[in-house]
Amino acid sequence: MKLRTTVSLSVLAALSVLALSVASHAERFRYMDSSGNIRFAESIDQVPRQYRQQIYPPTPTPVLDKRAQAELRRKQEREESRKLHEEREKRREAEKRKHDLELQRQREERELRRREEASSLIRSGR
């Protein structure tokens, strides 16, 4: 009889623990408020109306640890830095093209003046 009581108490204790764990993992409604904070509610009635569309279907958000967050931040910074570098290079190339065109225009003007002077000297020398 003692064995039966012990077994039944053990089963009862196991069921109690199981019930508590299920209750603790009961359906919770998760939503993000206007400040960007994740909130949890035990029932749909506790979720403010403006956030209810966020919970159907529930979308799990990945929880990043500090290291993953830092790596993500570094990756974003590298990408931003690369974009800035590309923009600077494009501006430099555009300025160089503009400068080269200006030099070519000046050379052409000098060549034109030299030809005009040569032709006027030839005309005046005849």
Side-chain angles (χ1 to χ4, degrees):
M1 185 86 155
K2 268 188 164 185
L3 181 61
R4 185 182 273 173
T5 309
T6 306
V7 170
S8 50
L9 284 176
S10 298
V11 169
L12 185 61
L15 288 175
S16 301
V17 169
L18 183 62
L20 286 174
S21 68
V22 169
S24 68
H25 291 295
E27 186 174 11
R28 285 185 158 184
F29 297 93
R30 182 183 61 202
Y31 64 95
M32 186 181 296
D33 64 10
S34 59
S35 303
N37 298 319
I38 301 291
R39 303 285 183 183
F40 294 93
E42 296 296 324
S43 72
I44 190 79
D45 297 330
Q46 293 174 341
V47 178
R49 229 176 249 294
Q50 69 263 29
Y51 303 122
R52 288 186 185 172
Q53 77 278 0
Q54 295 179 16
I55 58 175
Y56 296 109
T59 53
T61 56
V63 178
L64 300 177
D65 61 356
K66 299 276 186 199
R67 186 177 298 155
Q69 288 175 349
E71 181 60 34
L72 180 62
R73 196 169 35 253
R74 281 192 297 272
K75 184 178 177 183
Q76 290 170 343
E77 289 170 356
R78 281 192 303 268
E79 183 65 22
E80 289 173 7
S81 176
R82 185 188 61 77
K83 286 179 182 179
L84 286 174
H85 179 72
E86 286 177 357
E87 289 174 8
R88 276 192 227 115
E89 285 299 314
K90 285 179 184 178
R91 271 189 253 120
R92 285 183 190 139
E93 288 174 8
E95 288 172 5
K96 185 175 182 341
R97 281 193 301 272
K98 185 178 175 182
H99 179 70
D100 290 346
L101 286 173
E102 180 62 25
L103 289 177
Q104 183 178 354
R105 186 188 63 75
Q106 290 174 358
R107 279 193 298 267
E108 289 172 354
E109 284 180 356
R110 281 195 303 267
E111 181 63 24
L112 182 62
R113 270 187 262 128
R114 188 187 63 75
R115 286 183 184 173
E116 287 174 352
E117 288 173 0
S119 68
S120 68
L121 285 175
I122 291 174
R123 275 185 264 143
S124 64
R126 284 188 186 180

